Amino acid sequence: QHYKSITFIEIMDLSNLDKFTDSVLTVDSPVPICTQSEECCVGIDEAGRGPVLGPMVYGIAYCPVSRIPDIEALGVGDSKQLKESDRDEILGKMHENSDFVGYCVTVLSANYLSTSMLGRENYNLNAISHDTAISLLRNIIAKGVKVKDVYVDTVGPAEKYQAKLSALFPTLNITVASKADDKYPICGASSIFAKVCRDRCMKEWQFPEKGYDISDSGCGYPSDPKTKKWLMDNVDEVFGFPQFVRFSWSTAEKIIEKRSVPVSWDNEEEEEENIPKLNSFFKRVKKQTEIPRHRFYHEQGLTSSTEI
């Protein structure tokens, strides 16, 4: 993963995102001084796990435990239940309170997700999500944040995920729960950081490939008719999709199969004459008949002392 630290304002325009369209970009805020001396709570959530278009973004938010009422007063919650204008407003308020609120977000490009999932080793979306959350938590700990309580929106079975995190961070109080962003204010804050960042990525995406426009691509989910139409209209017969598309998603795979030129991989090799097949070396063979010994050995009473 490529790491680059940039400021909050730069997150809003993401002017350098084009350098990471096929990899991973991590951005974070300055660490509030109070979070290095006071015990802190941490929330971790993601945005854009299911869409076939664009990146998945993981966010982590943290603040002193004593300031949770202040976080709650900002109106944080499940970002998906808030209007875009409300998310932007709450994010602005958290930025105004950056003396006690910190964050870090990781943008995982569509191309990175697909190449990881289709690699030689099985690296599924759950494993990618777990590793990203772990990396974010380690990142703020390394920066000196005094972490005490961690709240994580689950990916997969909550019990197994919580046990995994607790084994890695045995000194922390970790809670993994479904809809954690709606239950715990600090997790709601992380949800807003992640969602606003993904929305900005979608709006300001710079295609490395030329000639693509995402203004009419819908919400990016496979069930959206506009998204499906955009995919159908923007698949290349030879090269498939641009890096903005998660080509490992079944929706994209089916369109490639339908619209692109078929490829046939011929692995059959012509058998050369007089060259035995590999399996012939493993066939069971009959035991050879023992050759009678010369009578000289019998007449002299000679016997073998060992067998070769």
Side-chain angles (χ1 to χ4, degrees):
Q1 295 185 0
H2 302 277
Y3 179 82
K4 182 179 176 65
S5 180
I6 60 179
T7 65
F8 179 86
I9 299 301
E10 287 176 306
I11 287 181
M12 303 310 292
D13 61 30
L14 291 169
S15 58
N16 63 347
L17 183 64
D18 60 332
K19 300 181 181 67
F20 298 89
T21 54
D22 63 347
S23 57
V24 175
L25 171 65
T26 297
V27 296
D28 54 9
S29 70
V31 177
I33 296 175
C34 64
T35 62
Q36 296 177 316
S37 58
E38 298 183 45
E39 291 185 330
C40 295
C41 58
V42 173
I44 302 175
D45 197 10
E46 53 77 25
R49 176 179 168 83
V52 66
L53 298 181
M56 177 172 71
V57 179
Y58 252 84
I60 188 169
Y62 55 95
C63 74
V65 175
S66 62
R67 304 302 296 268
I68 281 297
D70 297 318
I71 288 288
E72 194 167 9
L74 297 178
V76 299
D78 182 358
S79 63
K80 294 182 286 295
Q81 305 302 320
L82 298 171
K83 294 188 298 183
E84 183 176 356
S85 58
D86 293 335
R87 291 194 296 266
D88 290 341
E89 181 180 352
I90 294 171
L91 189 61
K93 291 178 180 179
M94 287 194 287
H95 181 52
E96 292 173 358
N97 289 278
S98 58
D99 59 322
F100 72 89
V101 181
Y103 72 87
C104 186
V105 292
T106 293
V107 181
L108 301 102
S109 70
N111 194 61
Y112 172 83
L113 294 174
S114 293
T115 53
S116 296
M117 295 173 66
L118 295 178
R120 186 182 298 272
E121 297 181 3
N122 182 22
Y123 193 30
N124 61 39
L125 194 59
N126 280 6
I128 294 173
S129 299
H130 290 183
D131 288 348
T132 304
I134 291 166
S135 178
L136 284 170
L137 186 52
R138 284 175 172 161
N139 179 45
I140 65 168
I141 291 174
K143 290 179 177 293
V145 177
K146 196 173 181 181
V147 179
K148 178 188 177 185
D149 303 320
V150 181
Y151 301 95
V152 185
D153 195 40
T154 192
V155 173
E159 299 80 6
K160 290 184 178 180
Y161 191 10
Q162 182 168 315
K164 179 179 181 178
L165 292 176
S166 296
L168 292 171
F169 304 96
T171 62
L172 306 182
N173 300 321
I174 297 177
T175 300
V176 177
S178 177
K179 300 186 182 300
D181 49 358
D182 202 30
K183 297 175 182 176
Y184 307 103
I186 195 63
C187 202
S190 68
S191 175
I192 290 173
F193 279 119
K195 179 61 176 171
V196 172
C197 186
R198 173 174 156 82
D199 287 347
R200 291 286 175 159
C201 289
M202 296 294 289
K203 289 179 180 179
E204 301 174 16
W205 188 263
Q206 299 295 318
F207 283 91
E209 310 89 352
K210 304 299 182 183
Y212 291 98
D213 179 18
I214 60 172
S215 59
D216 198 28
S217 60
C219 67
Y221 279 84
S223 58
D224 187 342
K226 281 189 174 182
T227 299
K228 285 185 177 179
K229 184 179 185 304
W230 189 92
L231 289 169
M232 295 288 282
D233 293 342
N234 289 278
V235 61
D236 186 271
E237 290 184 347
V238 177
F239 299 104
F241 291 110
Q243 293 180 356
F244 185 67
V245 178
R246 303 181 190 178
F247 54 84
S248 58
W249 263 232
S250 61
T251 303
E253 289 179 344
K254 290 176 181 178
I255 292 175
I256 288 177
E257 290 177 1
K258 184 177 181 180
R259 289 295 186 92
S260 298
V261 177
V263 178
S264 177
W265 301 96
D266 190 1
N267 289 327
E268 294 183 5
E269 298 180 358
E270 295 183 3
E271 295 183 7
E272 298 184 25
E273 295 183 4
N274 301 323
I275 297 181
K277 294 182 178 179
L278 181 62
N279 60 2
S280 67
F281 294 98
F282 301 96
K283 289 182 177 179
R284 186 185 299 274
V285 295
K286 294 182 180 180
K287 189 176 180 180
Q288 293 183 348
T289 305
E290 186 176 353
I291 301 175
R293 304 188 72 189
H294 193 276
R295 67 176 187 176
F296 169 81
Y297 296 96
H298 294 291
E299 292 175 349
Q300 301 299 321
L302 301 176
T303 59
S304 300
S305 60
T306 184
E307 294 184 358
I308 298 178

